[in-house]
């Protein structure tokens, strides 16, 4: 009998339509001991969150995505109290003049040290044995 092995508890939900970026970021975070789930855009992220498939401590959000972009994702996220409580870190190459109510910003191209430091603020990595 097949039982679902989806562990919804994760440290970081990466929302990015660029597979290479998402993979590089998830590899880096996993190497640091984080549990990571990748969503390939805003629609996918909301589906994972609303379905309880992803219960992250922090969301890394790309802004420029086809379909539902980062701004639209944040607007939807704010409508659901349980989701609105999850801190969002904007990951973008552009500096936005619009103030976004994000917990933090990371500029692309990402520097690994910055990425790890910001994620650790919201999701401390597990103690290494």
């Amino acid at each position: 009998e097949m039982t679902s092995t989806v562990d919804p508890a994760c440290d970081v939900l990466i929302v990015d339509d660029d597979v290479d970026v998402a993979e590089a970021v998830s590899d880096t975070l996993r190497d640091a001991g984080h549990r990571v789930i990748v969503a390939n855009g805003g629609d996918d992220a909301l589906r994972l969150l609303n379905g309880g498939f992803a219960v992250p401590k922090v969301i890394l959000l790309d802004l420029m995505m086809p379909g539902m972009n980062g701004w639209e994702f944040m607007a939807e996220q704010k409508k659901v109290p349980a989701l609105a409580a999850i801190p969002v870190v904007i990951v973008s190459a552009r500096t936005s003049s619009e103030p976004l109510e994000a917990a933090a910003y990371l500029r692309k191209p990402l520097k690994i040290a910055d990425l790890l430091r910001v994620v650790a603020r919201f999701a401390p990595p597990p103690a290494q044995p």
Side-chain angles (χ1 to χ4, degrees):
E1 185 186 349
M2 289 293 290
T3 54
S4 168
T5 55
V6 172
D7 175 9
C10 65
D11 297 318
V12 187
L13 174 62
I14 298 169
V15 187
D16 200 316
D17 64 304
D18 184 325
V19 178
D20 294 332
V21 170
E23 199 166 273
V25 172
S26 64
D27 286 349
T28 299
L29 292 174
R30 285 192 180 109
D31 288 347
H34 291 290
R35 293 165 304 166
V36 181
I37 292 178
V38 176
N40 120 20
D43 299 301
D44 192 34
L46 280 180
R47 188 179 55 75
L48 291 170
L49 291 164
N50 285 320
F53 297 106
V55 184
K57 294 179 182 149
V58 62
I59 297 170
L60 296 183
L61 180 67
D62 183 29
L63 289 178
M64 310 298 285
M65 296 180 288
M68 181 185 291
N69 66 32
W71 290 278
E72 292 163 340
F73 170 83
M74 288 182 80
E76 290 301 312
Q77 180 202 10
K78 290 204 171 22
K79 294 177 184 172
V80 184
L83 301 185
I86 304 168
V88 172
V89 174
I90 301 287
V91 181
S92 184
R94 54 179 281 176
T95 48
S96 170
S97 51
E98 298 173 60
L100 279 167
E101 291 173 34
Y105 282 83
L106 284 168
R107 289 291 307 277
K108 282 181 178 176
L110 283 173
K111 295 186 177 67
I112 289 178
D114 293 342
L115 171 69
L116 294 175
R117 189 182 70 246
V118 168
V119 167
R121 271 171 42 195
F122 305 102
Q128 301 301 331

